[in-house]
Amino acid sequence: VDVWRTCLTANGTGDVLGALQLRSQLDFQRVLYQGFVELEDKMAGSVVDIAKFELLVSQAESFGGLFILDPEDPLPLEPNAASKMIGSSLDPRDREGPDGESLIFGLNTFASLIAGPGQYAFAHGTAGGGRLITATSPTEEEVSRDL
């Protein structure tokens, strides 16, 4: 009845939302807009610590190439070789660790520990000689023949 009076009578206001009592429930656009304004204000007030940001960039540049090799079931190794292979990186050369004290061994060291210096080399390493280790070679069959 309220909708009829509001919309279809000569003195009606035409306010269908008011007649159906939906004005506040359908006022989401204003609330949503206000939420975005508040979010924008908060982001504009954010302060970036330049020193921390520069440190982060520096650390990423220095240690971004490190990828720790840590298999679940490592093969038996000589005691001194195990610590150099497990925890080595994908960088060709040995590098100082992020803590500034430890040494992270690279691909060249890893390759020399497989069967001695000059026996194997990684495609991304810098030490030459021996069989080249890539993503597809040597195969298990090729390695079995060498043993």
Side-chain angles (χ1 to χ4, degrees):
V1 175
D2 287 338
V3 173
W4 185 81
R5 279 190 214 142
T6 302
C7 296
L8 302 175
T9 60
N11 62 348
T13 61
D15 183 11
V16 176
L17 293 178
L20 293 172
Q21 298 176 354
L22 293 174
R23 180 153 314 282
S24 62
Q25 288 90 339
L26 295 176
D27 192 24
F28 64 89
Q29 182 63 42
R30 184 187 56 78
V31 174
L32 184 63
Y33 175 78
Q34 186 58 36
F36 277 112
V37 168
E38 289 174 19
L39 180 62
E40 213 170 61
D41 289 345
K42 286 181 183 177
M43 291 185 65
S46 297
V47 177
V48 175
D49 184 342
I50 298 298
K52 285 184 181 178
F53 179 74
E54 287 175 352
L55 176 63
L56 178 64
V57 170
S58 167
Q59 294 293 315
E61 288 172 348
S62 296
F63 303 107
L66 297 179
F67 183 87
I68 303 298
L69 302 174
D70 192 9
E72 290 180 15
D73 299 316
L75 298 174
L77 302 168
E78 294 178 24
N80 66 338
S83 64
K84 293 179 181 178
M85 293 176 101
I86 306 301
S88 62
S89 77
L90 294 178
D91 285 327
R93 294 183 180 85
D94 300 345
R95 301 195 51 183
E96 184 180 281
D99 60 5
E101 296 176 11
S102 62
L103 185 63
I104 298 176
F105 297 96
L107 291 175
N108 296 336
T109 300
F110 192 101
S112 70
L113 293 169
I114 295 172
Q119 298 299 313
Y120 285 96
F122 282 95
H124 293 88
T126 56
R131 183 178 295 246
L132 184 64
I133 299 173
T134 67
T136 58
S137 70
T139 64
E140 188 174 338
E141 181 182 326
E142 292 170 332
V143 172
S144 297
R145 275 187 272 144
D146 290 345
L147 298 174

